[in-house]
Amino acid sequence: MLEEVERWLDRRSWSVADRPLERILAAKRNTKVSVVLPALNEEATVGDIVAVIRRELMTEKVPLVDELVVIDSGSTDRTAEVAAAAGARVVARDSILPRIPAVPGKGEVLWRSLMVTSGDVVCFVDADLRDFSADFVTGIVGPLLTDPDVDFVKAMYDRPFGAGPDGPAPGEAPAQGGRVTELVARPLLNLHWPRLAGFVQPLGGEYAARRSLLERLPFPVGYGVELGLLVDALHTVGLDALAQVDVGVRKHRHQDGQALGRMAAAIYRTAQLRLSRGHLVRPRLTQFARGEKGFEPTTYAVDTEERPPMTEIAEYARRRVA
């Protein structure tokens, strides 16, 4: 590990306990905090997450979060209804920037969320978390309120990998999980962006940043958004403006192997664009599943589209002037 990264780990890696809530609230002053949950068919979990944030961080006694928005990206279940009933403002993805046709992907939703939120600090939280704790928000928002030199904060945590709702099955290691992180993202970062080698969960969906930074970054529309934002933030504001906070344990829904393969391809493509901005001859991924006639191929397009920095969007510029 680079000496610079070792020093960074000492200076910019914290625990949620390092900043008591009272200190965070005292530092908030007039800073507005927005929390965004990108959601697609998450009726089983989104309501509990919204309820915890409203109950613990949006009260007269604890006014940390000013705005809580769920961006529904076309759910076919009761995600929108459940989120609204729990107290979130729900916005349909396709209603944001209708001039630009929406494409599927998490990054697309995060990018559009900048248009319908107003916080100086924007905090992203995945909507599939179970046993959600408000520490996920206070942990990553805290450094942005108490440390003016910090612009981007990722959560770090253990990721139990087990089939049961209560965590790993007997005999399984409690800290496993993050398979695409370990097999794809971490090798890419260590080889090509070694200054980012200190991030424990580079692909984690819980992170917060200053709007002034996010609006200047391009957003990969799909699975590559977390790696893309991290790499571009490094190049834009430097390593010392990035940080991570240990928030404990993250329990969530795990995807199957083929979904992880598509995720890995999109992340590799995101990295490739940032390495060379060169041309990928065939941005496709073929996978196999056993069918009636043996192993049958299915080919998927790999996410190659990116949204420009939000400051280049005319509607966003007009909103800021207004």
Side-chain angles (χ1 to χ4, degrees), residues 32-94:
K32 186 172 183 179
V33 176
S34 299
V35 175
V36 172
L37 277 67
L40 176 63
N41 295 330
E42 302 294 356
E43 68 174 354
T45 50
V46 67
D48 290 341
I49 298 172
V50 169
V52 168
I53 294 173
R54 287 197 61 85
R55 183 176 65 246
E56 299 187 25
L57 303 177
M58 298 182 73
T59 65
E60 184 176 351
K61 184 179 180 181
V62 185
L64 180 64
V65 174
D66 301 283
E67 187 176 42
L68 175 56
V69 182
V70 171
I71 309 292
D72 182 26
S73 56
S75 297
T76 56
D77 65 1
R78 298 175 60 251
T79 291
E81 180 182 341
V82 170
R89 175 162 65 96
V90 180
V91 182
R93 177 200 62 194
D94 294 354

Side-chain angles (χ1 to χ4, degrees), residues 1 13-14 31 64 74 87-88 97 117 124 155 161 166 175 187 205 249 261 277-278 282 291 295 306 315:
M1 184 176 290
S13 290
W14 298 296
T31 304
L64 180 64
L97 281 173
T117 56
F124 298 123
F161 181 60
D166 299 321
V249 178
R277 296 291 171 180
R282 189 174 184 273
F295 285 101
E306 297 195 2
E315 291 92 332

